[in-house]
Each structure stands twice: as structure tokens, then as C-alpha cells.
Amino acid sequence: MLRERTQRQLKEILATGAVGTHQNRSERDDFAVMYANRLARLWAVERGLAFGRLDQADGDRFYIGKLGLTDDEQERLLIDWRAPVAQPFYQATPRSPMGVTRRRHLQTRGRTVTGVDDDLLDLDNLAEADRATLNGEAALLAALDEERTGRMRDIVATIQAEQDRVIRDDLNGVLVVQGGPGTGKTVVALHRAAYLLYSHRERLERRGVLILGPNPTFLRYIEQVLPSLGETDVLLSTVGELYPGVNATRRDTPEAAALKGDLRMAEILTRAVRERQRVPRTAIELPLGRYTLTIDGRMLDSARNKAVKSRRPHNAARAVFVRSVLNALARQAGKKIGKGLLDDEELADLREDLRTEPAVRAALNRFWPYLTPQRLLLTLYGSAERMAAAGLTEREQRLLARTSAEWTESDVPLLDEAAELLGEIDEQVLRASAAMAEEELLAARLAEERERQSELEYAREVLELTGLSDVMEAERLAERQRGEGPYLTTAERAAADRTWAYGHVIVDEAQELSPMAWRAIMRRIPTRSMTIVGDIAQTGSAAGARSWASALDPYVAGRWRQRKLTVNYRTPVELMEVAADVLAAIDPELEAPASVRHSGQEPWSAPLERLPELVTSSPGKTVVIAPTAMLDTLGLEGSVIVRPGERNDALDAAVSVMAVTDAKGLEFDSVIVVEPALIVSESPRGLSDLYVALTRATQRLGVVHDLPLPSSLRRLVLAAKT
């Protein structure tokens, strides 16, 4: 009935059409968006709409669900799980019942109740009639034993007390959620996003919530959780997707990733920009028909100093540089044509005449060119001379050298840094430059012979910078700004705007982020309202964090708080014992989270040659986690291989093959780890990678190998697998 009513209201408001004043149209659009969002929420929460009941000591009874619902008389039918009155459903205990006598968990299929589980919290205050209806054990273990579907589910019906405290923590400031594998960090962070949107709707709907994950496969894995909780306007992204228009599809070597992630790269890029603000060693003559003008180092030094002192980004400061040079050239021209001291109007006229001269434009653009972040990085990576001038050693130059525009995940924070240094290029300039590109090239060819090569190089850069794709993108943007255009959600608008400031940012697997990535993320959340989720013991990236303090203190020293999740709900005791040995090898001081259940199945090892038959006989969702170099050599028929940056259907496949990096944050019924010794040797933090691989399973774990096992896997004895 609610869906039908909302659908009818939406149709009625849309039927009014785009008529009336601008205010009328704006109000109509606001109502249409409100009804559309409400309808989307009502459809999204269908599965498990009501999942619990609270029986109060005072006789009241509340049903708990994914949304709050009332009848036509405004009587409460269902309490939203995020409401304060629902908090005892997650936090009440026999020692502190919070006024609750019984907590009932409802299992449903569609609209039919298929089972109930009761938690008795206060027997003394339970009504006599209710004592006869007490039933069974809690719902948690049953949910944990279910086979995986390839997508994360919401846990709104089984949130545990330590998880609920994290979910309901304050919006302001930086909250770090430190938890080992299987403690529910990710799903807790997603439920926290839903809770914050419920509690701070106006603030967060206006500025949006950004959730950053480690890879595209992970984002597909979690994408259904928030919609199932009624929240459909949250941006999910990886760091590699943060820069609009760039799709980072490659991964760097660990050495190159560590270099690009180092904070020193911020200074390297600053120097690279300065190197493009050129001052020639010798004077440049500009033949302009009736007379020849001269640009010398003194004139350019003065112009550059003025531009630098303006403290504007490179592209914006160019206007200061150009005006200074044109003023100097106009005074020269005045003398050449026999004029004495020029008044302001005469100076302005001469300056504008010179601005349109192809030779003058070519010189100005060569000495202080317009730059895009992409162009800056490509010309830096492609020139040993420029890399050396920016302060990179020969070894570092070899790590960065490349000529293709195929971006890596580690490049994206550098592009973001470059965008801050360069600033925007005016769209009118881009369109005008496109029209003038051929003239620029002609002017370069007519320049003096000793300048010919550098002029040609610049002109080609202009043509590349102002190619058709750039112009079309600028035109589309201008058209969208001139007209009303299609309605965009907050998430869609934020994704297209590099400078968007979010209301809250959640970072999952945050231990993997480099210092440069943190720098890019912090630009997007000036209020520092953040939830940081991860496990330092699982840091696999060579550029990743060694402690939360090292990552966060440069931005919020003394202003971040930490909450720990200590219970492992995913990994059975038998499997965690194996992983705990690896954890001890990483750092003897680290403590594994406590597992809450047994699977009854011991981990095993077998020869590598038996992998195909073991995969075939493996029940449930199975993942084969292998060294990166072996992904394409395993020859597993019917499996889906996950490659960096690719969108794929691995989560829907019965068997998938991936490297550890792509398995982060995921879970599967069965996990088979290939050649653990090679996984350890692939990365400076290989033991952490092995720890991640061993803790992805919810039921079964096996290892196949030909090389000797690492000493930390001493529990696994090579034996016949039958």
C-alpha cells in the first residue's frame, strides 16, 4: 500500500510537466526526487523488512525493521533499526537489560515468518504468558553457517554489541575501526553509513557520503548492502577512480608504488611545474612585420616573479605572467613606432594587438604553457632530463619511465596533486586554443632556426592538449551548465567533481593507502568527518601504513579515536589456528581475533598437480588465491580470473582465481592458496599477504604447492587428500 501510494504521488507530480515559474519547476523537481527516493527505499528493503521484536518490562512491544513505518492513524508499526528506541535490540544484556525482558529474532521468507530465536534478558519481569513462548538459540551462528552468494548481505538482524557501538559512534572527527580478519569491519562500516545518513540526513544528503574500497571486485561485493538498508545515494569508489575521467587499470611494481606513494612526490611535482615556467638563456627575437621585438631573460624573470608571488596555481598564474610580458613588449613596440610614454589606453591597445600575434602567442605558451595534470605527468615520466631536474635519481627515473597514457592506481593521487598545483584551464581558452592550433604550429615553423625544435615541440603539445576530445568535453560541460539538463544525484555530481567536499568519508582496507593517497583523500573531507577501517597486520602494499598514527597524525594529530573489534565471526577456529602462526611471524606482539565457531573441517595441503581435481570437488563458492605471476598458468576450466582494474563476473562464478590484492575484504566458502612461498616472496610484506589469503574462508581452507612451505605453515602436513 505504501509503495502504491508513493508511486501514485510520483506520477501526479511528474504529470504537472515543466510549467510555471522557475520556483514552481524547482519545487516540482524537489518533490519528484523525494518521492522517487522514497519509492526506491521501499523496494530496496523488501528482503528482511522486519527482523526483530523487543518486549519491554513495562508491557510495551516494538517490532524492529529496516525502515520506520506507521499506519494511517500514525501508530508505529515498525521501528527503524537506527532509531534510539531500537538500540537495546543490539546492546541489551542480562546484566544490563535496558528495560527489555525478551529480544526476539525473526527469520522470514518473503512476508512469512519461518522461525524465531529468543534472547531472555530479564526472566523476573517476563509475563507468565510469555514464558511458554520462549524459543531456541540466537540467529547469529545460523547466519554465519550459510553458504556465500558472492555478495555481502546486511547484518542488521544480527549486529553484535561491540559492532553496534561502532555503528552509533559520533559523526564528528576521525574514527578508526581496527579489527582483524572476520570481525565484520566492512559490514559495520556500511551499517554505520546507513546510521549516519538516518541521524544526520540533511547534512549528509547535501554533501554526500564517499566509501572507498581497495579494488573494483570489492565494490561489486558490497554494492547491495546499503540499498538493502534503504540508502541508494552513496558513492562507492576506489582510489584509482577518484580522478574524474581517468580509469586506472594497471598496478605498479611494489618498488614503483612505494616511490609514487612517498610524500616526497609532492615536492617532485612542484619542481616539475616550476621547470615548465621557462626562462631562456639567450634573447628571443619576434619578427612582427614592421618591427622586431625582443624577449630577454630579464623580462621573463620579472614576469615569472610576479606570477609566483601571486600564489595562484600554475594555469591561473599564467595570466599574471602573460600580462607582464605583454606590457613590456607593448612598451618596446611603442618605441619602435616612435611613440614616447604610453598612456593606459594606448598601452592596453598595443597589448591586445600583440596578444593576437601568432609568434607572440607561441613564445608565451612555450615559456609558461597551459598544462593538464595528465600532460604534466606524461611529459615528466617520458623525459629523463625532466625527471632529473625534478630531483629523481637514476634508479627512480627507471622505475617511473614510460611513454603510454595507461594510468596505474598509484598515479591517481599524483594526478590529484598535479591538479592542485596547476589549477583549472579556462574553457574559453581551450576552445580558442583549438581554433588557433594550426596558427601556433605555423608560427613555430617560422621561428629562428636555433629555436625551431623547441617551438615545434611546444606546438605539438598544444595540439595534444587541445585535441577534439578535450574540446568536446568542455562543450558538453558548458551546455550542461547553460541548460537544466538531467537531474543528477548527489553521488553522481560528486563523482564528476574532483573538488567536491563530502559530508563523511569511509575508507575500507585503509592500511593499504600510501601517504600520497591520504593526501588526496583529505582534500575531499575538509571537516575531517571520517571512518577509517582496517587492520595494520594485513598491510600488503609497500606504500601502506605501518601504524595508524603514521597515516593520520600529519592531518589530525591527537584528534582521532580508535575502536577495536575483537571477535572473528567469519573464520572457524581450525582455520584461524593456521593463520595465527603466520600472524606471529609478522609480529609476535600481534593477537589474532577470537573465533566464535568450529567448522569441523581441518585445513589441508596437497601437491600443486592436484589443484584441478580439488577445485572440482570443492563445495560452495571457491576462490583460488595465487601469486600474480601464476594467475594465467593454472588452467582451471570454467574459472574466472580477476585481473587488476577489470570489472568481471568473478563473484558470480563457482570458482574464481585472483591475487591476494584482489581478495582483500572478500570471503568465500572455500579457499585454496597456491604456492604460499611465492606469495611471501612477491612483496616486501609477503607474510601479511599470506595472512590475508588464509583468512578469506568461512568453511574450508587448503594449500597446494611444489615449493617448500614457509615455516609459519608448520601445522599443514603434506598428506593424501581424499
Side-chain angles (χ1 to χ4, degrees):
M1 184 174 69
L2 283 172
R3 284 199 293 250
E4 292 173 359
R5 180 188 302 166
T6 305
Q7 181 72 58
R8 185 171 63 254
Q9 290 170 324
L10 178 59
K11 285 183 177 180
E12 288 172 356
I13 199 71
L14 292 176
T16 61
V19 295
T21 66
H22 177 76
Q23 181 177 347
N24 294 147
R25 295 196 301 272
S26 177
E27 290 175 352
R28 183 212 61 176
D29 289 346
D30 289 342
F31 277 111
V33 170
M34 180 185 71
Y35 290 135
N37 288 341
R38 182 183 298 171
L39 189 62
R41 290 193 183 107
L42 289 172
W43 278 109
V45 299
E46 175 68 18
R47 181 179 179 272
L49 175 61
F51 55 79
R53 193 183 82 188
L54 289 176
D55 295 351
Q56 305 282 100
D58 61 9
D60 284 340
R61 178 172 289 173
F62 301 120
Y63 283 90
I64 312 298
K66 291 182 177 179
L67 284 181
L69 298 175
T70 60
D71 61 18
D72 291 338
E73 283 71 44
Q74 299 303 306
E75 288 291 324
R76 287 189 297 189
L77 303 175
L78 199 61
I79 302 294
D80 192 301
W81 68 276
R82 296 164 289 190
V85 71
Q87 195 165 350
F89 188 79
Y90 303 107
Q91 296 194 8
T93 66
R95 179 172 293 182
S96 177
M98 302 175 70
V100 176
T101 58
R102 173 170 56 183
R103 172 173 50 216
R104 170 162 286 184
H105 299 268
L106 306 176
Q107 288 103 51
T108 60
R109 182 176 292 111
R111 297 297 177 86
T112 303
V113 176
T114 59
V116 296
D117 290 298
D118 287 335
D119 297 330
L120 182 61
L121 302 175
D122 189 354
L123 183 62
D124 293 337
N125 284 313
L126 189 66
E128 194 65 36
D130 288 333
R131 293 180 185 231
T133 64
L134 291 176
N135 189 9
E137 60 189 26
L140 175 63
L141 294 181
L144 296 176
D145 282 331
E146 287 182 341
E147 282 197 353
R148 268 40 192 173
T149 64
R151 296 293 188 278
M152 179 177 279
R153 300 170 179 168
D154 67 73
I155 61 165
V156 67
T158 57
I159 293 170
Q160 301 301 292
E162 72 168 2
Q163 296 172 330
D164 189 64
R165 284 190 286 272
V166 170
I167 290 169
R168 296 175 191 268
D169 203 294
D170 191 57
L171 169 69
N172 297 318
V174 177
L175 172 66
V176 175
V177 184
Q178 164 66 38
T183 54
K185 300 182 297 296
T186 296
V187 74
V188 164
L190 294 172
H191 285 68
R192 174 164 168 77
Y195 171 76
L196 293 177
L197 282 164
Y198 172 85
S199 303
H200 306 274
R201 178 74 63 189
E202 183 177 351
R203 171 178 170 183
L204 295 183
E205 276 197 339
R206 185 174 64 253
R207 297 311 311 167
V209 174
L210 169 66
I211 297 179
L212 285 171
N215 55 64
T217 304
F218 175 87
L219 296 185
R220 286 195 66 215
Y221 177 62
I222 69 171
E223 66 185 1
Q224 296 178 3
V225 175
L226 282 169
S228 76
L229 297 173
E231 302 299 342
T232 57
D233 193 17
V234 172
L235 178 61
L236 305 182
S237 177
T238 66
V239 170
E241 297 167 328
L242 272 184
Y243 194 94
V246 169
N247 182 22
T249 58
R250 293 176 55 243
R251 288 198 184 116
D252 284 300
T253 64
E255 295 79 10
L259 173 59
K260 290 180 180 180
D262 195 307
L263 274 181
R264 179 168 152 257
M265 287 301 297
E267 181 57 33
I268 295 293
L269 292 178
T270 300
R271 291 188 198 128
V273 172
R274 288 176 186 159
E275 191 271 335
R276 304 304 296 271
Q277 300 160 359
R278 308 171 184 174
V279 174
R281 296 179 181 176
T282 57
I284 305 298
E285 293 188 347
L286 304 175
L288 301 178
R290 291 182 298 162
Y291 49 81
T292 297
L293 300 181
T294 302
I295 296 179
D296 57 25
R298 184 176 178 182
M299 179 191 300
L300 293 177
D301 270 333
S302 174
R304 185 171 69 169
N305 288 339
K306 290 176 182 177
V308 171
K309 287 179 180 178
S310 74
R311 297 186 177 276
R312 300 178 186 176
H314 171 88
N315 289 325
R318 184 181 185 277
V320 179
F321 174 84
V322 167
R323 185 179 181 84
S324 178
V325 172
L326 288 177
N327 279 339
L329 290 176
R331 293 188 186 97
Q332 268 191 51
K335 293 178 182 178
K336 295 282 186 181
I337 60 178
K339 294 208 173 194
L341 186 64
L342 299 171
D343 61 30
D344 290 344
E345 186 175 348
E346 291 173 321
L347 184 65
D349 288 341
L350 270 175
R351 189 172 62 232
E352 291 309 308
D353 288 343
L354 290 171
R355 189 191 299 274
T356 61
E357 288 286 348
V360 174
R361 288 202 312 271
L364 291 172
N365 285 330
R366 180 159 59 87
F367 298 140
W368 196 294
Y370 280 114
L371 290 170
T372 64
Q374 294 93 325
R375 188 66 184 161
L376 178 68
L377 256 65
L378 285 177
T379 54
L380 178 65
Y381 292 160
S383 169
E385 181 180 354
R386 281 183 174 148
M387 284 194 282
L392 292 163
T393 67
E394 289 186 6
R395 175 184 171 276
E396 292 169 337
Q397 292 172 37
R398 288 192 295 272
L399 288 174
L400 298 185
R402 81 163 192 264
T403 56
S404 74
E406 193 176 5
W407 301 108
T408 69
E409 295 171 356
S410 304
D411 286 324
V412 170
L414 302 186
L415 289 169
D416 200 67
E417 186 74 24
E420 290 292 308
L421 295 170
L422 296 174
E424 298 295 326
I425 301 177
D426 187 271
E427 293 168 24
Q428 292 182 350
V429 172
L430 280 175
R431 291 194 292 271
S433 297
M436 298 176 186
E438 290 297 336
E439 294 181 41
E440 300 271 359
L441 186 57
L442 178 61
R445 287 173 178 160
L446 297 175
E448 293 185 25
E449 186 61 26
R450 58 190 173 84
E451 293 294 325
R452 183 173 180 277
Q453 189 57 44
S454 59
E455 293 286 354
L456 285 171
E457 177 188 350
Y458 169 69
R460 292 189 186 101
E461 290 178 9
V462 171
L463 286 172
E464 291 179 23
L465 172 64
T466 59
L468 182 59
S469 61
D470 285 344
V471 174
M472 290 299 291
E473 182 177 349
E475 289 285 2
R476 283 196 297 269
L477 178 60
E479 288 173 8
R480 188 164 68 244
Q481 290 173 336
R482 285 194 297 268
E484 289 187 5
Y487 171 79
L488 297 177
T489 66
T490 299
E492 288 169 334
R493 287 184 286 122
D497 185 352
R498 188 194 67 81
T499 63
W500 190 273
Y502 291 89
H504 192 76
V505 171
I506 295 175
V507 187
D508 206 345
E509 300 293 340
Q511 74 278 355
E512 303 299 329
L513 296 183
S514 70
M516 287 300 293
W518 280 113
R519 194 171 164 95
I521 291 167
M522 290 298 179
R523 289 191 190 103
R524 288 157 171 79
I525 185 69
T527 61
R528 300 296 190 260
S529 175
M530 305 178 74
T531 302
I532 308 301
V533 181
D535 178 16
I536 292 297
Q538 295 185 61
T539 304
S541 170
R546 296 189 178 277
S547 70
W548 293 123
S550 67
L552 298 175
D553 280 353
Y555 307 99
V556 285
R559 293 185 288 125
W560 56 275
R561 60 195 186 277
Q562 179 171 296
R563 303 285 183 266
K564 291 186 177 182
L565 297 176
T566 59
V567 180
N568 185 338
Y569 301 99
R570 175 205 302 146
T571 317
V573 172
E574 299 91 335
L575 280 57
M576 201 61 210
E577 288 175 345
V578 175
D581 291 337
V582 177
L583 182 64
I586 297 171
D587 184 345
E589 298 297 317
L590 295 175
E591 186 174 346
S595 296
V596 299
R597 65 193 179 98
H598 292 263
S599 69
Q601 302 187 62
E602 293 294 330
W604 49 265
S605 64
L608 179 58
E609 64 183 6
R610 296 195 58 199
L611 178 61
E613 66 174 278
L614 294 170
V615 166
T616 301
S617 62
S618 181
K621 292 282 183 181
T622 299
V623 65
V624 176
I625 301 179
T628 303
M630 295 183 67
L631 291 178
D632 293 308
T633 67
L634 297 177
L636 298 176
E637 187 175 348
S639 65
V640 175
I641 301 175
V642 177
R643 294 182 176 86
E646 288 186 358
R647 299 280 178 175
N648 54 69
D649 57 356
L651 296 175
D652 302 316
V655 178
S656 55
V657 180
M658 62 186 72
V660 175
T661 305
D662 290 300
K664 284 184 179 294
L666 307 183
E667 60 182 36
F668 301 86
D669 298 304
S670 303
V671 172
I672 300 177
V673 181
V674 177
E675 292 292 7
L678 287 181
I679 290 176
V680 171
S681 66
E682 268 192 334
S683 163
R685 297 183 177 179
L687 279 174
S688 294
D689 284 342
L690 180 57
Y691 180 60
V692 171
L694 296 172
T695 53
R696 299 305 94 198
T698 64
Q699 301 291 342
R700 294 162 289 275
L701 172 67
V703 168
V704 294
H705 63 104
D706 286 337
L707 298 174
L709 291 175
S711 58
S712 54
L713 294 182
R714 57 188 174 274
R715 290 178 186 265
L716 296 179
V717 179
L718 185 61
K721 177 76 174 133
T722 59

